[in-house]
Amino acid sequence: MDVSFLGGPLPQRGIGVVAPFDFALDRELWRWVPDDVSLHLTRTPFVPVEVSLDLARLVSEHETLREAVRALTAISPEVVAYACTSGSFVGGVAGERAMSAAMCQAGEIPALTTSGALLAALRELGAARVAVVTPYTKSVTDALEEYLREAGVQVCGRSYLGLTREIWRVPYRDVVAMAREAVAEGPDALFISCTNLPTYDVIPQLEAELRMPVISANQVTMWSALRSIGKEAVGPYQALLDPVARRGPAAMTPEGGGGPEVALTADPPPLFPDEEG
């Protein structure tokens, strides 16, 4: 049968992604990506270390990143992103910049990291005070706070799980519970850390409840990578990505805050039908 009339396949833009060896959320990354963009993922070599500051340092060594980027250049992505929050904040602001520079040099293409994308997203939202939610241990969470403070961002609340393995199995209910605890002091935004922590569906729910922008590690990584090639991430009801959402529930002050409360969009359907709000 002659199928020449089909033409195609349609041209695809390419984003390279370097992820830690235990990254389990490939499908979640794809949910932020428009149909005419492809993700090309590679992983760092396995090391027998649990999630910790030691692991963060091991999976972010410059030579490891260079080798991963060189492998990706065979398929000519337009940008490469290092999708690991702890691995990109463990060396502080200077360490993050050095990682991006090493990847850029290795592939001769633009490069970014999750932690660098986080700072860009906070600037985009005008958020100077942030609460953080992490699945990490205390020491890793402390390192995230130090990175944000070094970048001029005030951390005014936090909640963490203390996990050292299988973070991708954390249910949305646990993320919601941590978020509610972390925002007691009324931050400008909430950041949910770790690219191995599922967040896509919970972001609009939390924004509707907490009345503030909610951003996550995978979200800011995809937002920044796509923006660098002139594309927009796909994320209905997510304030970072959807200007209408930013003017709606996420722009409202918390209950009792006295700010304007004019929602321009309907709240998304609840994730948990047995809960109100």
Side-chain angles (χ1 to χ4, degrees):
M1 185 174 88
D2 182 11
V3 295
S4 59
F5 69 93
L6 291 175
L10 296 176
Q12 290 279 298
R13 311 285 295 276
I15 293 176
V17 178
V18 179
F21 65 89
D22 62 345
F23 180 70
L25 300 182
D26 303 52
R27 174 59 188 148
E28 173 158 296
L29 290 185
W30 277 94
R31 297 182 71 183
W32 275 290
V33 179
D35 290 342
D36 61 345
V37 176
S38 285
L39 298 182
H40 309 298
L41 273 80
T42 190
R43 283 167 168 76
T44 62
F46 170 79
V47 290
V49 179
E50 294 182 329
V51 177
S52 61
L53 290 175
D54 288 339
L55 178 61
R57 296 184 184 100
L58 286 170
V59 297
S60 61
E61 292 178 343
H62 287 194
E63 189 52 38
T64 296
L65 298 178
R66 290 190 189 101
E67 290 181 6
V69 171
R70 291 186 193 113
L72 287 169
T73 57
I75 47 179
S76 302
E78 296 178 57
V79 63
V80 63
Y82 177 52
C84 180
T85 324
S86 61
S88 53
F89 67 60
V90 69
V93 171
E96 188 281 326
R97 290 173 180 164
M99 290 173 60
S100 295
M103 291 191 296
C104 182
Q105 182 180 40
E108 297 184 347
I109 53 175
L112 60 98
T113 75
T114 297
S115 294
L118 164 60
L119 298 184
L122 293 174
R123 288 192 296 268
E124 175 75 11
L125 295 168
R129 300 174 67 254
V130 63
V132 297
V133 163
T134 90
Y136 311 135
T137 60
K138 180 181 183 298
S139 61
V140 182
T141 305
D142 288 345
L144 170 59
E145 288 196 36
E146 179 57 32
Y147 172 79
L148 288 168
R149 291 194 184 100
E150 185 184 353
V153 179
Q154 180 184 352
V155 178
C156 59
R158 75 177 191 176
S159 183
Y160 60 94
L161 289 175
L163 299 181
T164 59
R165 63 179 68 194
E166 297 189 348
I167 289 170
W168 66 89
R169 300 188 188 278
V170 174
Y172 282 149
R173 290 181 186 276
D174 290 357
V175 177
V176 169
M178 285 194 294
R180 290 169 176 163
E181 177 183 347
V183 300
E185 295 184 25
D188 298 330
L190 171 70
F191 173 58
I192 305 173
S193 191
C194 189
T195 55
N196 231 0
L197 185 66
T199 58
Y200 187 94
D201 296 301
V202 81
I203 290 172
Q205 300 296 329
L206 283 172
E207 289 188 334
E209 175 183 337
L210 303 178
R211 299 319 198 227
M212 68 181 64
V214 175
I215 56 178
S216 77
N218 282 331
Q219 181 207 44
V220 299
T221 305
M222 289 296 95
W223 166 79
S224 184
L226 287 161
R227 187 171 70 159
S228 74
I229 64 170
K231 302 294 293 184
E232 294 183 358
V234 179
Y237 297 107
Q238 298 181 22
L240 178 63
L241 317 180
D242 183 350
V244 175
R246 201 178 303 181
R247 296 193 303 269
M252 298 182 191
T253 57
E255 185 176 353
E261 300 212 358
V262 181
L264 301 185
T265 63
D267 287 354
L271 278 175
F272 316 122
D274 57 323
E275 293 187 6
E276 295 182 357

